[in-house]
Amino acid sequence: MLELSKYNTRDLLWLGDWSLGWIIALGLLGLAVLLFSAYDLRDMRPHRRLTLLGLRAAVFSLAVLMLLEPALDLKQVSRVKNHVAVLVDTSQTMNLNVAGEKQRRIDRARKALEELRPTFEAQAEDHHFDIFTYGDALTPTTLEAALTTEADATEADLSAALQALPEHYRGKDLGGVIVLSDGIDTGSIGRRVRRGEDLDEASKDILASLQAPVHTLAADADAGMRDAAITRVRHDDFAFVHNSITVEVDLFFSGIEPQPVPVTLRRDGEILQSQSVQIDPEERRYTVQFEFVPRQIGKEVYTVEVPHFEDEALLQNNTEHFVLRVIRDKVRVLQVVGRPSWDQRFLRQLLKRNPNVDLISFFILRTDDTPQLVPRDEMSLIPFPTDELFNSELGSFDLVIFQNFNFGPYNMARYLPAIADYVRQGGAFAMLGGDLSFASGGYARTPIESLLPVELPPAGPGQKITHSEHFSPQLTEAGDRHPITQLAFDPAQNRELWEALPPLRGTNIVTGPSEGATVLATHPTLTYGGQPMPVIAVAERGEGRVLAVTSDSTWRWGFEHLADGGTPREYQMFWNSAIRWLIQDPELKLVRLDVHADIAAPGAPIDASVRVFKSDYSPAANATGKVLVRHRPLGQNADDAPSAQEPRQVDFQTDASGEHALDLSFDEPGIYQMEVEVQGPGSPLRDENLVLVTPNVAQLRDIVPRNALLEQIAAHTEAHHTLLPELDADELHFNPPRFVEIHQRRVVQLWDSALLFLIVLGLLAAEWSLRRRWGRL
């Protein structure tokens, strides 16, 4: 006897390998047989005809049933518990107090989690309740750990956490999700709903992929909180020097009374600009723009801030710091020429052909003392715009060139101090020779002479201030390795190239190098005080650099050299290298301090390295040096930084490739100014860089709870949403388990039976006997 009591599921199986088409064909065949039989038996009495048709139908049905091979599938099964994911938000905003209360958001979420413990235990037969924390990433944990975990994550990426669940439960049954959060989502879903929009299709796809209800328990309401915050500062990664840049600041005010609120932009601690925002009680979000012009190349730390208000929920989001890299767009060159010449023409053409140079040239063709044959208003020549150039626009130029230019006839004496200040503040200045330059141009005893790398003789009766003989400059030891005069890396080849250049014609007389100057080339015969007279000399003045070339015939290197079978390459290399050195091109530094991230968190490792090169720009292996690190607190002016503060020193030695990786990290927030120093062949080689160390508070920029987001998530998944501390666990429904586990199984074949075979034979015998009795054989 077949026992069925211990099996809790019974299914009918068809073991015969018959397709649906064949089954339909058999059914049609049976119908055709019955119709034919009914036609054949039409002359019999009705009850006899129906009896025979019934017997034949029964035989045919049993035959088909045996062909299909039916079986009874008996299984002892139990349902497999599915999974319910409980997500607890542990981002930094969960540490804030609930509006108007002393309880933190995370504490309210923990209390709700504790209240759900009986529900987890009561439904343990159907569901596994898996506890996760999320912030930067989805992290599995335990219920006990979740009740004590600190809320310190710098992100609140609920979108990523929900997206990770299908992958985490791949091949398993997800019955539901419970989210305990303040609704702040730094991911894709939160960004759209924060702007007041509904869930977009991408967000709906994320929720649809779960195939389960997402219940949302809000830790705080979005009303009653008092906060002023800078939510976002939008700026380019870099800016061009002397070019306007715009910085956009997004602001959020909640619970602030109507009043004008100042928004301040600081550069390295000093106030750069300030704007006022009028608070409207009907409006929470505002945007202000700052537009300014960076004046120097390098890294600058900027700060945007709004004032602190009494009883604010958070003060950390009232300030935002960022680093702006200021680079060159084009080298802006001002070329002032006293009169047209071949030297002026060649240099002007060289600068105009360079796509990285923005050239402004002025040729002085007449002065106020030049006889006027027509009225001034009928002249096509414009007057020299001295006031505009040297008063208003001087700071916008990277390099100023005086080429055979005498300032006297243009009443420019009052502008010479401004030019000196321009250089000392980071500008570049070059003076080229000619009968209107150096002492011949009246520059002795002027602020310009204090800039020049050469000293000038006093101009006066009987004083020789020019020399007209041809000569070939002689490189000094410094000239062998300086980028300006380095036409080839190999010193011997470099000297051969210089010796092959056409000689220069004429020079201005100078009385030697000035203090701090470096002489790159000298005159072969002229001396002053027993020393060769400088012809090419450079110097650093304050933050800027200067160059002096005492001859006005360097054009011969680019023209007459062609007649000797040479090329203008040496002329182009000399002036291109001179310009790059003058504007302090970072690529020409022999020591470079690279910091690969402008901003770092306290205690985080900083990716920095030092690269050192020899004078021929080959790697300097085993070079020793030091890095001095000075700390300046955020918000403090660079000039107010305590000079007595002892800098941190890091000694290093480069490897075979001339590099050394620095192992740096800083615990205290602030600006860390780093200066590297390596002993060079002459004076020490230096470079500097900075890194801004500040806590990552990006997640605290917008701290208002967003119930609208949580409510939309729950509504879209037909789940329950509530504002804690209100919580009704009975409202949390989950999908029933879909998978079962088979413990015992038995398949009973119903067709493989002697009884069934005997029944078929009996029906056939009965049908045959009746036909015989009724005369239908």
Side-chain angles (χ1 to χ4, degrees):
M1 179 179 292
L2 181 62
E3 295 185 6
L4 302 179
S5 58
K6 63 180 180 180
Y7 297 101
N8 51 17
T9 65
R10 303 170 182 85
D11 299 315
L12 186 63
L13 301 179
W14 304 97
L15 303 180
D17 190 14
W18 293 84
S19 65
L20 179 62
W22 278 109
I23 294 175
I24 294 174
L26 288 173
L28 293 176
L29 177 61
L31 180 60
V33 169
L34 290 178
L35 291 176
F36 179 79
S37 297
Y39 178 78
D40 183 55
L41 301 173
R42 64 185 182 277
D43 56 347
M44 292 185 70
R45 294 176 183 179
H47 71 278
R48 294 181 177 182
R49 182 170 67 252
L50 292 176
T51 301
L52 292 178
L53 288 175
L55 290 172
R56 291 177 182 180
V59 171
F60 186 85
S61 299
L62 289 175
V64 170
L65 186 65
M66 294 177 69
L67 287 174
L68 293 178
E69 300 179 6
L72 188 63
D73 187 15
L74 305 177
K75 291 178 290 188
Q76 186 183 22
V77 300
S78 63
R79 289 193 175 274
V80 177
K81 293 190 287 186
N82 63 13
H83 296 264
V84 176
V86 182
L87 310 185
V88 182
D89 185 352
T90 56
S91 60
Q92 292 175 331
T93 57
M94 293 292 286
N95 273 324
L96 299 176
N97 285 345
V98 177
E101 300 184 19
K102 297 299 183 181
Q103 185 184 38
R104 297 183 303 167
R105 298 174 184 176
I106 186 64
D107 295 331
R108 179 172 280 185
R110 289 171 179 168
K111 183 179 179 182
L113 195 61
E114 185 65 48
E115 292 177 2
L116 288 173
R117 186 194 293 266
T119 301
F120 298 161
E121 295 172 353
Q123 300 191 33
E125 292 185 2
D126 293 327
H127 312 290
H128 287 292
F129 288 91
D130 304 322
I131 313 299
F132 298 86
T133 59
Y134 78 89
D136 306 323
L138 185 68
T139 305
T141 186
T142 64
L143 178 59
E144 300 304 327
L147 292 172
T148 58
T149 300
E150 290 300 323
D152 54 6
T154 58
E155 296 287 339
D157 201 343
L158 175 59
S159 303
L162 293 176
Q163 284 181 288
L165 288 178
E167 180 63 28
H168 182 83
Y169 289 112
R170 180 181 294 275
K172 299 179 181 179
D173 184 15
L174 180 62
V177 181
I178 302 175
V179 177
L180 297 96
S181 171
D182 57 10
I184 296 177
D185 178 24
T186 57
S188 58
I189 299 178
R191 282 194 294 269
R192 292 188 61 87
V193 178
R194 182 172 52 197
R195 298 194 296 264
E197 303 174 15
D198 295 331
L199 295 175
D200 62 352
E201 292 303 319
S203 302
K204 293 177 180 178
D205 290 342
I206 294 174
L207 298 176
S209 66
L210 300 175
Q211 299 181 1
V214 181
H215 303 286
T216 53
L217 312 183
D220 195 2
D222 57 359
M225 190 186 67
R226 183 177 172 85
D227 188 50
I230 298 170
T231 58
R232 188 180 180 188
V233 177
R234 296 191 296 273
H235 61 89
D236 294 331
D237 293 334
F238 56 86
F240 296 114
V241 68
H242 305 312
N243 286 266
S244 175
I245 182 175
T246 299
V247 174
E248 291 187 351
V249 182
D250 293 338
L251 306 165
F252 179 86
F253 297 96
S254 174
I256 307 298
E257 299 78 10
Q259 59 182 295
V261 176
V263 186
T264 305
L265 175 66
R266 296 177 181 269
R267 177 169 54 199
D268 286 334
E270 297 181 359
I271 295 179
L272 185 62
Q273 292 182 25
S274 183
Q275 295 191 34
S276 181
V277 173
Q278 180 62 45
I279 302 300
D280 185 341
E282 301 298 326
E283 181 64 37
R284 287 185 169 187
R285 301 188 182 276
Y286 303 83
T287 299
V288 299
Q289 290 186 345
F290 294 101
E291 187 172 350
F292 58 94
V293 178
R295 296 298 182 185
Q296 61 184 17
I297 296 172
K299 286 184 182 179
E300 296 178 330
V301 178
Y302 291 81
T303 302
V304 182
E305 58 187 7
V306 295
H308 296 169
F309 293 89
E310 186 177 359
D311 297 329
E312 271 197 73
L314 186 69
L315 298 179
Q316 291 172 273
N317 56 13
N318 292 53
T319 304
E320 169 77 333
H321 306 280
F322 64 95
V323 177
L324 187 64
R325 292 174 176 264
V326 183
I327 62 175
R328 297 185 189 277
D329 179 12
K330 288 188 175 182
V331 181
R332 199 156 187 255
V333 178
L334 172 62
Q335 182 189 28
V336 183
V337 183
R339 68 166 63 98
S341 66
W342 282 106
D343 206 42
Q344 161 270 315
R345 179 179 179 182
F346 269 74
L347 182 57
R348 181 172 181 268
Q349 289 178 345
L350 174 70
L351 295 174
K352 286 185 67 176
R353 285 195 300 266
N354 191 333
N356 295 320
V357 172
D358 184 9
L359 176 65
I360 305 294
S361 294
F362 281 95
F363 304 90
I364 311 304
L365 301 179
R366 58 173 299 279
T367 69
D368 291 339
D369 299 329
T370 304
Q372 299 182 15
L373 303 180
V374 295
R376 182 184 295 270
D377 58 0
E378 295 182 11
M379 292 183 178
S380 61
L381 299 177
I382 64 171
F384 184 39
T386 52
D387 187 70
E388 181 180 357
L389 286 175
F390 300 107
N391 190 19
S392 302
E393 298 294 329
L394 182 61
S396 68
F397 292 101
D398 300 297
L399 171 62
V400 176
I401 300 174
F402 277 10
Q403 189 166 11
N404 197 27
F405 173 68
N406 183 356
F407 70 94
Y410 312 102
N411 299 317
M412 280 187 56
R414 55 180 173 160
Y415 299 111
L416 299 186
I419 297 175
D421 292 340
Y422 154 79
V423 173
R424 291 189 173 90
Q425 293 171 7
F429 179 78
M431 180 173 285
L432 280 61
D435 59 352
L436 302 178
S437 287
F438 295 100
S440 300
Y443 290 98
R445 314 303 181 259
T446 69
I448 295 298
E449 184 184 15
S450 67
L451 294 178
L452 293 174
V454 293
E455 294 183 348
L456 306 181
Q463 185 71 32
K464 184 177 181 181
I465 53 179
T466 60
H467 183 77
S468 59
E469 299 296 327
H470 288 64
F471 72 96
S472 293
Q474 305 296 306
L475 289 184
T476 64
E477 183 178 350
D480 281 333
R481 60 178 179 271
H482 199 279
I484 292 181
T485 48
Q486 193 175 60
L487 303 181
F489 286 151
D490 181 65
Q493 184 181 1
N494 188 49
R495 284 188 173 268
E496 290 178 3
L497 291 174
W498 275 92
E499 291 171 359
L501 292 175
L504 301 178
R505 185 173 61 190
T507 182
N508 293 78
I509 300 297
V510 297
T511 59
S514 59
E515 183 178 357
T518 300
V519 179
L520 306 182
T522 59
H523 198 282
T525 59
L526 296 179
T527 60
Y528 203 94
Q531 297 295 324
M533 189 194 79
V535 175
I536 304 173
V538 295
E540 296 191 7
R541 299 297 186 224
E543 299 295 326
R545 292 177 173 179
V546 292
L547 165 69
V549 179
T550 61
S551 177
D552 64 346
S553 55
T554 58
W555 63 273
R556 296 164 65 90
W557 297 341
F559 181 71
E560 293 187 9
H561 198 33
L562 294 174
D564 300 331
T567 68
R569 173 180 172 274
E570 289 76 13
Y571 175 80
Q572 295 169 1
M573 284 190 63
F574 173 81
W575 280 113
N576 286 333
S577 299
I579 293 171
R580 292 180 64 190
W581 183 85
L582 284 166
I583 66 174
Q584 303 185 49
D585 187 338
E587 293 300 320
L588 290 184
K589 291 183 177 181
L590 295 179
V591 58
R592 304 171 195 173
L593 174 58
D594 296 321
V595 179
H596 305 293
D598 298 332
I599 302 178
I606 296 173
D607 187 10
S609 61
V610 177
R611 291 187 294 170
V612 185
F613 301 88
K614 297 178 182 178
S615 57
D616 60 358
Y617 285 87
S618 61
N622 301 320
T624 58
K626 61 183 178 181
V627 177
L628 299 177
V629 182
R630 293 178 174 85
H631 173 243
R632 172 157 53 94
L634 292 170
Q636 187 178 67
N637 294 349
D639 297 336
D640 296 338
S643 57
Q645 184 183 20
E646 188 68 23
R648 171 183 172 184
Q649 179 171 323
V650 179
D651 298 320
F652 67 88
Q653 183 176 18
T654 60
D655 57 17
S657 62
E659 296 188 29
H660 176 78
L662 295 173
D663 183 16
L664 299 175
S665 66
F666 307 112
D667 296 329
E668 292 294 324
I671 301 172
Y672 289 83
Q673 192 75 36
M674 295 175 283
E675 181 180 357
V676 60
E677 180 179 304
V678 177
Q679 187 60 44
S683 59
L685 304 174
R686 293 185 175 89
D687 191 21
E688 61 181 24
N689 212 321
L690 65 81
V691 63
L692 172 63
V693 176
T694 181
N696 184 357
V697 295
Q699 200 257 328
L700 299 176
R701 292 294 166 196
D702 198 346
I703 63 175
V704 176
R706 289 193 274 279
N707 289 335
L709 170 63
L710 297 177
E711 191 171 3
Q712 287 193 48
I713 290 175
H716 185 73
T717 59
E718 300 180 355
H720 178 63
H721 168 73
T722 189
L723 175 61
L724 299 175
E726 295 183 6
L727 176 59
D728 185 358
D730 293 336
E731 295 289 340
L732 306 180
H733 66 275
F734 310 108
N735 294 337
R738 294 182 301 159
F739 300 153
V740 296
E741 183 177 6
I742 301 175
H743 303 288
Q744 187 173 353
R745 183 181 185 185
R746 181 182 177 188
V747 178
V748 180
Q749 297 180 350
L750 301 179
W751 65 275
D752 189 10
S753 169
L755 177 61
L756 182 61
F757 182 72
L758 291 175
I759 290 173
V760 172
L761 289 179
L763 291 175
L764 288 174
E767 193 267 345
W768 180 82
S769 298
L770 291 175
R771 282 192 296 109
R772 179 181 179 86
R773 178 181 297 179
W774 294 334
R776 297 292 299 177
L777 292 177

